[in-house]
Amino acid sequence: MATEYQVENRKLYVRLDGELDHHLAEKVKHQCEIILKSYPIRDIEFDFSNSGFMDSSGVGMILGRYRQIQPMGGNVSISHMNDTIRRVVHMAGLHQIVKEK
Amino acid sequence: MIHLEFNSESENEGIARVVAAAYMMRFDPTVEEMADVKTAVSEAVTNSIVHAYTDKEGKIIFDISSVENIIKITVEDFGIGISDIKKAMEPMYTTKAEEERTGMGFSFMEAFMDEVQVISKPAKGTKVIMTKMIGGNENLHG
């Protein structure tokens, strides 16, 4: 399987597959940039159903997407986090700017 | 102990985490301890790849050993080095903000491990030594 991208009603769903480290974060960033250029995206949702790990590179990538869409009034949300990911999100303060689902 | 040498390719970040996780199994770690060590390893190895070597290829040496239930992980590179270690370890300090680096790497290592020591010399390289007691809480309670 691979990370899946789906656009629905100006919202981009990113269904992560695998550990969100620097390696995967670079790939996701690149793919998001292509999609954001091609579609009128307002919000982004990162779905962690198939990802059980994230480090500070993942935090940086999510923050980067937030900075891209926030000026246009968009939101970033994170769904299906396990406890490990939730802990990193809270330690980094990411929960103050993105929605937890 | 385990002694590994690998190239500074981002695919190897995951391999380093898996090796650390496998080594830890003998200490019957909690899910949280496992995540702590994996995160710290990921941060240290990523630093070597992103900062020490930037876009060049270089060698990273990754060692894991233990004394009783205290594991010691060393990540060493031979890259650009750090001139001001204190500054580099400040939370949110980064030299690569434009690349979406958060400056949280060392903070995460310090939060997730018991001790983090950084030895570095500009143009020579950097060595990060981290230790953590596994199963420590369990011993306290019981």
Side-chain angles (χ1 to χ4, degrees):
Chain A
M1 246 184 70
T3 296
E4 291 176 0
Y5 303 83
Q6 189 186 339
V7 179
E8 213 180 290
N9 299 326
R10 297 187 64 195
K11 183 164 179 172
L12 168 61
Y13 292 88
V14 181
R15 298 196 178 89
L16 297 157
D17 185 49
E19 305 195 318
L20 188 54
D21 60 0
H22 161 245
H23 181 67
L24 181 58
E26 288 289 308
K27 286 185 178 177
V28 173
K29 176 190 173 184
H30 180 71
Q31 201 59 40
C32 282
E33 280 181 346
I34 292 170
I35 294 168
L36 283 157
K37 274 180 197 156
S38 316
Y39 296 92
I41 304 292
R42 192 184 57 208
D43 304 317
I44 304 178
E45 180 171 320
F46 292 97
D47 183 339
F48 280 85
S49 299
N50 290 311
S51 178
F53 176 88
M54 173 167 77
D55 64 13
S56 75
S57 300
V59 171
M61 188 279 293
I62 292 175
L63 262 176
R65 305 293 71 70
Y66 170 80
R67 290 194 182 119
Q68 255 182 322
I69 62 165
Q70 192 268 335
M72 273 87 80
N75 282 309
V76 171
S77 49
I78 305 181
S79 64
H80 302 103
M81 284 184 279
N82 67 10
D83 291 342
T84 301
I85 292 184
R86 194 179 303 275
R87 198 159 60 114
V88 167
V89 163
H90 282 249
M91 267 184 59
L94 206 53
H95 61 296
Q96 291 163 2
I97 57 169
V98 307
K99 287 184 189 168
E100 291 175 76
K101 290 175 105 178
Chain B
M1 78 161 271
I2 291 177
H3 175 81
L4 271 182
E5 181 179 309
F6 51 83
N7 287 343
S8 58
E9 294 154 3
S10 63
E11 288 90 343
N12 292 334
E13 294 155 5
I15 293 173
R17 288 196 301 273
V18 167
V19 169
Y23 183 90
M24 278 179 77
M25 289 311 292
R26 68 188 76 179
F27 302 109
D28 194 18
T30 63
V31 173
E32 199 170 295
E33 286 167 339
M34 190 72 105
D36 289 350
V37 172
K38 279 178 71 181
T39 310
V41 164
S42 204
E43 300 296 347
V45 172
T46 301
N47 272 353
S48 292
I49 293 172
V50 171
H51 296 285
Y53 295 119
T54 314
D55 295 319
K56 292 196 312 260
E57 196 162 280
K59 297 285 180 206
I60 295 170
I61 293 177
F62 181 66
D63 288 310
I64 313 178
S65 60
S66 56
V67 176
E68 289 173 357
N69 61 336
I70 297 171
I71 60 161
K72 179 177 167 188
I73 297 175
T74 307
V75 178
E76 185 175 16
D77 65 62
F78 308 93
I80 60 163
I82 305 168
S83 54
D84 189 343
I85 295 172
K86 204 173 154 225
K87 183 121 198 162
M89 292 181 81
E90 276 174 18
M92 319 299 269
Y93 174 80
T94 181
T95 52
K96 296 199 171 177
E98 76 287 352
E99 285 179 28
E100 303 185 347
R101 309 306 316 166
T102 59
M104 294 177 189
F106 278 124
S107 305
F108 275 23
M109 288 180 233
E110 288 186 312
F112 292 133
M113 301 297 281
D114 294 339
E115 268 176 55
V116 179
Q117 192 191 351
V118 182
I119 302 161
S120 189
K121 212 170 180 182
K124 292 281 179 206
T126 302
K127 191 174 186 175
V128 175
I129 304 160
M130 309 184 279
T131 58
K132 186 179 179 71
M133 185 192 279
I134 306 300
N137 290 336
E138 211 171 314
N139 291 348
L140 282 179
H141 298 300

